Amino acid sequence: MKKTFYFIRHGQTDLNLKGIVQGRGVDSPLNDNGFKQAQAFYEAYKNIPFDKIYTSTLLRTHQTVSPFLKDGVPMEQLMGLDEISWGIYEGQEQTEDILSGFDKVVTSWKNNDLDLAIENGESPNALVYRQKEAVDYMLEQEDEETILVCMHGRAMRIMLCHLTEVPVCKMDDFPHTNTALYKLEYENNSFSIVDYYNTKHLEGLLNE
């Protein structure tokens, strides 16, 4: 059984612009530019015969795929696709203290300390556990061959690692921006990236 997955990050939010920490616990909407990015992605990929769309449970992913929903593509939300929880940092402005805390945590993750989490937050290993449940569920759907998945920046980086057997500590090797695309094929029980960090649909929007 072969499946093709289109993984995209959600469109831009005002909190993205303002540097406010938004993880699993912050349910922010897209801003005007985010809706433009979503529409640009739709215009570029509306002719792909998606069998299903999977999103996180957060509004910003639902809004990003809304043009496809108007075409009648079915959607299902999975908690396993939610962003990582940033714990006590969620909804906070990125002050020097918070940036310093982030830096320490991300450096620890790069050093393979993947059970570390920000206070009241989620570790990469905990995120991988719920992501694998979501992936297993998507793979079990035999009538779905071409799938659009809309999720979140940090979560997508971690997802791409374990899907392609890259160590999760190398998550920052995968660049991301709002609505950037990674296209993966699944065959013979393994995933491979066939389109890496595609942002062609964003030309003319990135600098707005």
Side-chain angles (χ1 to χ4, degrees), residues 64-80:
T64 300
V65 301
S66 60
F68 292 95
L69 305 183
K70 291 173 185 172
D71 285 347
V73 183
M75 184 191 101
E76 186 170 353
Q77 55 182 3
L78 300 175
M79 287 175 56

Side-chain angles (χ1 to χ4, degrees), residues 61 86 99 117 126 185 192 208:
T61 62
W86 294 114
L99 286 171
E185 287 184 351
S192 58
E208 287 192 14

Side-chain angles (χ1 to χ4, degrees), residues 131-167:
Q131 286 187 344
K132 285 186 172 179
E133 286 187 333
V135 171
D136 287 346
Y137 177 80
M138 292 188 285
L139 291 177
E140 286 167 4
Q141 312 310 310
E142 294 181 2
D143 56 341
E144 298 169 13
E145 294 181 2
T146 307
I147 300 125
L148 175 60
V149 179
C150 186
M151 50 190 303
H152 305 264
R154 180 64 59 175
M156 192 161 80
R157 287 174 152 179
I158 290 172
M159 175 80 88
L160 290 167
C161 285
H162 63 84
L163 289 186
T164 60
E165 299 183 5
V166 170

Side-chain angles (χ1 to χ4, degrees), residues 4-176:
T4 304
F5 288 85
Y6 291 69
F7 283 91
I8 64 168
R9 186 185 174 204
H10 63 81
Q12 188 184 75
T13 71
D14 278 340
L15 299 193
N16 288 147
L17 280 182
K18 294 173 183 173
I20 304 292
V21 181
Q22 52 175 0
R24 193 179 187 187
V26 176
D27 200 10
S28 49
L30 299 188
N31 62 17
D32 286 346
N33 196 45
F35 280 110
K36 288 178 185 175
Q37 293 166 336
Q39 188 64 31
F41 180 82
Y42 170 74
E43 293 298 336
Y45 295 96
K46 63 186 177 184
N47 293 323
I48 302 295
F50 292 117
D51 296 306
K52 187 76 165 284
I53 298 170
Y54 289 96
T55 69
S56 76
T57 65
L58 300 168
L59 177 63
R60 51 195 184 271
T61 62
H62 303 171
Q63 290 180 326
T64 300
V65 301
S66 60
F68 292 95
L69 305 183
K70 291 173 185 172
D71 285 347
V73 183
M75 184 191 101
E76 186 170 353
Q77 55 182 3
L78 300 175
M79 287 175 56
L81 300 176
D82 285 358
E83 179 60 296
I84 197 167
S85 170
W86 294 114
I88 60 172
Y89 289 171
E90 299 236 341
Q92 303 294 313
E93 207 170 316
Q94 293 185 37
T95 61
E96 282 188 27
D97 281 351
I98 286 180
L99 286 171
S100 172
F102 263 128
D103 190 52
K104 286 176 184 172
V105 169
V106 171
T107 298
S108 296
W109 290 351
K110 287 179 180 175
N111 291 326
N112 215 31
D113 186 3
L114 299 172
D115 287 316
L116 181 69
I118 289 164
E119 186 180 342
N120 297 333
E122 195 171 23
S123 70
N125 280 343
L127 175 59
V128 168
Y129 181 80
R130 65 176 169 86
Q131 286 187 344
K132 285 186 172 179
E133 286 187 333
V135 171
D136 287 346
Y137 177 80
M138 292 188 285
L139 291 177
E140 286 167 4
Q141 312 310 310
E142 294 181 2
D143 56 341
E144 298 169 13
E145 294 181 2
T146 307
I147 300 125
L148 175 60
V149 179
C150 186
M151 50 190 303
H152 305 264
R154 180 64 59 175
M156 192 161 80
R157 287 174 152 179
I158 290 172
M159 175 80 88
L160 290 167
C161 285
H162 63 84
L163 289 186
T164 60
E165 299 183 5
V166 170
V168 173
C169 63
K170 295 185 179 295
M171 64 182 88
D172 287 335
D173 289 356
F174 290 100
H176 70 74

